[in-house]
Amino acid sequence: TLAALWTVPNLAITLTYVQSAAILEIIHAAIGMVRSPVVVTAMQVNSRLIALFAIIYSPEAQAQWGAGVMILSWSLVEVVRYAFYLSTLVQKKVPYPLFWLRYSLFAILYPTGITGELSVFFAASKDVAFLSLMGDSAQNMEFMYYFIMAFPVIYAPGSPFMIMSMVGNRKSAMKKRFAKPPPPPRGLVFPKVVNKKGKEDRSSTPTAKAVMAAAVGAVNKEKAEKILKEKNWRFGYVKHFMGMVEEQCQSPEAALAVAKAGLEKAYQTFEFVAPDGTSCSMAEAMAAKNSEKFCTGFIKGEKAKEDNKIVVPYNGKDLSGDELKAQVKKWVDYGTIEPSAGSAIINCIDNPGWMDLSDRYFVLLGAGSAMGPFLLLMALGANVVALDLDRPFIWERLLTIAKKSSGTITFPLKSEQSSYKNDQELYAGAGCNLFTHTPMIKDWLLDLYPGKSFTVGSYAYLNGALHVQVSLAMDAISKALTEKRPGTSLAYLCTPTDIHLIPKEAHDAAAENLNTFSLIKLFGAFVSIFGPYCKSNVLPPIKAKDGKKYYVVDGISVAQGPNYALAKRMQHWRAIIAHSIGCTVSSNIAPSTSTVSVVQNRTFAWAYEGMPYFKPYEIATPEISNNVMTAILFSDLNDPSSVANPKNKLDNPNQLFSSGSFHGGTWRCGYQIESIGFPSVMIYFSKISAPYVVVGSAIASYYLFQALS
């Protein structure tokens, strides 16, 4: 029977050795030997070790049905898991039945295993032999009772997290296994490199390291060499990005040297593959003459122009005027945004003339992006030059919005607009590909609307290595326009999950929040016992050669990966280079935003639910982010005192990103954003499991009363 399973000869000692050895899995994940998430691995292994401890010292726990359920669940999971690992080592492709079992059995065995473990905890909590391990006094027995009963309470929020993590893993694994073979390389691609197996591929890691090493090597050869020698780039990249920022802080010349060297290396290294399969460097592709040309499409909106004002949808209300000013003040006072961002938004409210966009031209690279300003620009009657993928559904949306607005939209076409017989044909003929049409896009924009000043916004986003490619493609276009088209200004949305120079006031606010006593501080102290959680956000300032101090925040999230960090860093590089040659550059930090692309990752979605408990975080909706960041953009383009104006000199070029920050709390929270992800998830699941914890606590109190009476 299940209740007698523990008594099977040699089972107990074997189970003890095997489960104790699983501690190595945590170590392997922590040092990067395997790609398993450290948090989930630690939760699984530690929960088993505690259950093992309970069943070894509790005869009552050994002799009940839950012990058998727990042991069988553990065994079945591990047999399949290690068979899967062995298969990956000796076979090119894991047989589908084993693959399916590896990523499906958890749906049954995780709940049964958790049920068995809970039964062991409950049985041990009523077993005098277990409770008296530290002595048979009432105090010792009470301590052991609360010790073992703490784990069912932890399981309430922890179990759903582990199960949903496996759901995500299954979805990802299935998608990867049944993914279509990638098409032949075309357009802007990573260069071929020789991998560890001696075969050529287009891996992103060697190229990313080469670009970063070239950037840092412009000012510090020793640090560049360390980048090239980094063996664990996926998880060890952060310290190298911090080292780069430290070097850039040494002088304005150093900051620009790093930026120029990094981008130059990227242009020399990345390839551009033509339709016939021939390739050249990205630099050569952008310098070459193109025989193919885009035609130009144009649509003028049919709606009459309305009042020029910024409206921000917030908590079910549309805020404008004094109401919006009041909310901005609340954000500033709480620390969710920097005072400079608040001033920029209020300046925009007080100067409605800034929203007269009838003679302004905005080039949107990635016009349909969830974080881009397309909707607001069209509503305010701007002239938008829209570039997005040549997909009919994208252009049906963009052109329909444009027709119903008071603005105009200009867009690339494969043929003359008059050749399209209806809207459906027009949608099919519109658009371009930033990867494959980069040189053609550059040519088209250079010739478009002579004499008009363009504001070029880089808003396209893709996952993984593709983000680096699309960032470089947008950079190539921005580079050409800033160098060859007078009056060009640039616009970027920076991420809060990056390394930024920050005002001393933000640094001091983070220190105050870190040192202020609160329930969150107690929670932070507790979770930090189990890993690198709730780490201080207060870093020592970087001292430059001239003695100046620069305060810094490390907002990088390791989970987002080095490709994301490099893609955003390349935008930083272009921003400070363009600013140095006299271009207006609006490059402000946008808040963490609940876009579809972000919250489709359930872990991020759960974390976003819990993060507002860490002062002064607030997660923005896309509508809030779009409108407030566009207001700051308008301020940058119109306010002569803005740091975006190149006439306003900075002590260091990277201070361009210190002003106008709507960071959502990242700069002023007492804890680094990387270190509150898992605690935020725990808070979220604690909220939804609170009713069950209350009931469980009542039951536990009853049994304690019975045990002690």
Side-chain angles (χ1 to χ4, degrees):
T1 65
L2 290 173
L5 194 59
W6 179 261
T7 62
V8 172
N10 297 321
L11 184 143
I13 190 66
T14 302
L15 190 67
T16 301
Y17 283 134
V18 170
Q19 292 302 324
S20 298
I23 295 174
L24 292 173
E25 293 193 23
I26 304 175
I27 298 172
H28 294 161
I31 64 177
M33 284 184 63
V34 295
R35 300 185 65 181
S36 302
V38 179
V39 173
V40 175
T41 304
M43 289 178 64
Q44 291 172 330
V45 173
N46 288 332
S47 66
R48 289 189 181 188
L49 291 177
I50 296 299
L52 186 65
F53 169 71
I55 197 172
I56 288 173
Y57 292 103
S58 173
E60 290 191 18
Q62 299 167 9
Q64 47 91 36
W65 63 270
V69 171
M70 179 184 76
I71 294 168
L72 286 176
S73 299
W74 288 0
S75 302
L76 290 172
V77 164
E78 300 303 359
V79 167
V80 171
R81 188 161 71 100
Y82 282 100
F84 175 86
Y85 290 156
L86 178 62
S87 179
T88 61
L89 294 174
V90 300
Q91 295 178 289
K92 290 184 177 180
K93 193 172 185 179
V94 177
Y96 183 70
L98 180 58
F99 174 86
W100 187 89
L101 288 171
R102 168 70 179 96
Y103 288 105
S104 302
L105 273 182
F106 77 91
I108 298 172
L109 297 180
Y110 270 35
T112 57
I114 291 168
T115 300
E117 290 167 24
L118 289 174
S119 74
V120 168
F121 295 146
F122 287 127
S125 72
K126 296 181 286 184
D127 188 346
V128 174
F130 178 82
L131 295 177
S132 58
L133 278 177
M134 296 178 61
D136 57 5
S137 67
Q139 291 83 358
N140 289 336
M141 294 178 69
E142 184 177 351
F143 172 82
M144 289 300 296
Y145 175 84
Y146 280 115
F147 166 75
I148 201 63
M149 287 303 292
F151 292 96
V153 174
I154 295 172
Y155 270 43
S159 299
F161 172 73
M162 288 196 295
I163 293 172
M164 294 307 297
S165 178
M166 279 301 299
V167 170
N169 290 344
R170 183 182 194 276
K171 183 178 179 181
S172 177
M174 289 290 182
K175 183 178 180 180
K176 184 176 180 180
R177 185 176 179 101
F178 295 108
K180 295 179 181 178
R186 172 90 189 279
L188 174 58
V189 295
F190 279 87
K192 289 182 179 179
V193 294
V194 178
N195 61 28
K196 294 179 180 179
K197 297 180 180 179
K199 297 182 179 180
E200 285 189 336
D201 63 20
R202 296 186 184 273
S203 171
S204 63
T205 295
T207 302
K209 290 169 66 175
V211 170
M212 280 292 293
V216 176
V219 293
N220 190 315
K221 301 295 184 184
E222 185 179 343
K223 284 187 176 180
E225 194 64 28
K226 288 181 179 179
I227 291 172
L228 294 175
K229 291 180 178 178
E230 176 62 62
K231 294 182 179 180
N232 186 19
W233 182 248
R234 173 61 185 85
F235 295 100
Y237 69 95
V238 177
K239 60 179 176 287
H240 299 295
F241 276 78
M242 179 61 80
M244 178 190 63
V245 172
E246 291 170 352
E247 292 301 323
Q248 286 188 293
C249 285
Q250 296 310 304
S251 69
E253 294 77 16
L256 288 169
V258 166
K260 291 175 181 177
L263 288 175
E264 183 180 353
K265 181 66 174 180
Y267 281 101
Q268 293 172 350
T269 306
F270 278 81
E271 296 179 2
F272 193 88
V273 181
D276 63 3
T278 59
S279 64
C280 62
S281 70
M282 186 60 181
E284 292 170 327
M286 294 306 293
K289 291 184 178 180
N290 300 288
S291 56
E292 290 186 87
K293 301 287 182 183
F294 281 117
C295 296
T296 299
F298 177 83
I299 289 176
K300 181 175 176 58
E302 302 165 354
K303 190 175 182 180
K305 191 165 176 52
E306 298 181 344
D307 292 340
N308 298 328
K309 65 179 182 179
I310 291 290
V311 179
V312 176
Y314 186 75
N315 287 347
K317 293 181 65 177
D318 288 337
L319 305 182
S320 62
D322 289 340
E323 280 189 320
L324 180 53
K325 285 183 181 181
Q327 180 56 49
V328 168
K329 185 177 184 302
K330 289 179 182 178
W331 281 328
V332 171
D333 291 344
Y334 191 56
T336 305
I337 71 176
E338 290 305 296
S340 55
S343 297
I345 298 169
I346 291 172
N347 285 344
C348 207
I349 298 169
D350 291 339
N351 292 276
W354 290 357
M355 271 76 75
D356 180 1
L357 307 179
S358 55
D359 197 40
R360 282 198 177 272
Y361 289 77
F362 294 86
V363 178
L364 305 186
L365 306 178
S369 168
M371 288 294 289
F374 178 75
L375 291 174
L376 184 55
L377 291 177
M378 296 307 302
L380 292 172
N383 302 291
V384 171
V385 180
L387 294 105
D388 213 315
L389 281 171
D390 45 357
R391 303 287 186 271
F393 71 92
I394 292 176
W395 289 98
E396 181 175 6
R397 172 181 174 266
L398 295 178
L399 298 184
T400 300
I401 291 169
K403 288 176 183 178
K404 296 178 181 179
S405 75
S406 59
T408 71
I409 186 170
T410 304
F411 50 99
L413 284 170
K414 296 180 179 69
S415 305
E416 293 293 336
Q417 190 168 352
S418 58
S419 68
Y420 298 104
K421 297 177 182 179
N422 53 50
D423 285 346
Q424 296 305 316
E425 288 189 5
L426 183 64
Y427 302 148
C432 56
N433 189 311
L434 285 168
F435 290 170
T436 58
H437 297 143
T438 325
M440 290 174 59
I441 295 169
K442 177 257 300 183
D443 291 345
W444 181 68
L445 289 173
L446 284 174
D447 295 337
L448 189 66
Y449 299 127
K452 296 296 184 182
S453 296
F454 284 173
T455 297
V456 183
S458 297
Y459 299 112
Y461 170 80
L462 291 168
N463 289 324
L466 291 174
H467 194 195
V468 180
Q469 292 168 250
V470 78
S471 287
L472 186 60
M474 293 188 295
D475 184 79
I477 296 164
S478 299
K479 177 180 185 291
L481 293 177
T482 56
E483 293 176 351
K484 298 179 180 180
R485 184 161 183 143
T488 297
S489 54
L490 300 182
Y492 297 100
L493 291 178
C494 298
T495 174
T497 52
D498 204 339
I499 299 171
H500 296 291
L501 303 189
I502 62 174
K504 184 178 185 299
E505 293 75 16
H507 172 273
D508 293 345
E512 182 179 350
N513 285 329
L514 178 67
N515 295 321
T516 300
F517 179 80
S518 65
L519 290 176
I520 282 295
K521 187 173 179 65
L522 290 176
F523 175 69
F526 171 72
V527 296
S528 65
I529 298 171
F530 302 98
Y533 307 122
C534 294
K535 294 167 58 179
S536 172
N537 200 28
V538 185
L539 301 179
I542 299 170
K543 192 172 182 179
K545 289 180 179 178
D546 61 5
K548 289 187 175 70
K549 290 182 178 180
Y550 296 100
Y551 293 89
V552 65
V553 64
D554 178 6
I556 286 184
S557 173
V558 176
Q560 290 180 309
N563 287 321
Y564 181 83
L566 179 60
K568 300 306 290 186
R569 187 55 51 174
M570 289 196 299
Q571 295 180 359
H572 280 218
W573 290 341
R574 177 58 55 198
I576 65 174
I577 292 171
H579 196 259
S580 73
I581 63 173
C583 295
T584 297
V585 179
S586 175
S587 189
N588 303 298
I589 286 78
S592 297
T593 305
S594 55
T595 59
V596 173
S597 63
V598 173
V599 298
Q600 69 181 6
N601 182 318
R602 297 309 301 161
T603 302
F604 280 119
W606 300 329
Y608 276 8
E609 292 289 337
M611 282 173 66
Y613 287 88
F614 293 89
K615 182 183 178 181
Y617 271 102
E618 181 173 329
I619 304 301
T621 64
E623 294 77 18
I624 294 173
S625 290
N626 291 155
N627 291 10
V628 296
M629 297 313 298
T630 305
I632 298 173
L633 168 62
F634 292 161
S635 180
D636 283 343
L637 296 176
N638 290 279
D639 183 0
S641 67
S642 168
V643 299
N645 186 341
K647 294 180 180 179
N648 298 315
K649 301 303 179 184
L650 304 171
D651 290 334
N652 187 281
N654 277 353
Q655 288 179 310
L656 178 64
F657 316 105
S658 300
S659 181
S661 176
F662 202 114
H663 48 72
T666 307
W667 288 8
R668 294 181 175 239
C669 180
Y671 304 111
Q672 289 184 9
I673 188 171
E674 166 74 1
S675 70
I676 65 169
F678 176 67
S680 296
V681 172
M682 294 294 292
I683 290 173
Y684 166 69
F685 280 112
S686 295
K687 284 169 55 183
I688 63 175
S689 63
Y692 307 101
V693 173
V694 171
V695 173
S697 298
I699 295 172
S701 298
Y702 170 77
Y703 280 116
L704 175 63
F705 177 78
Q706 293 294 320
L708 297 177
S709 61

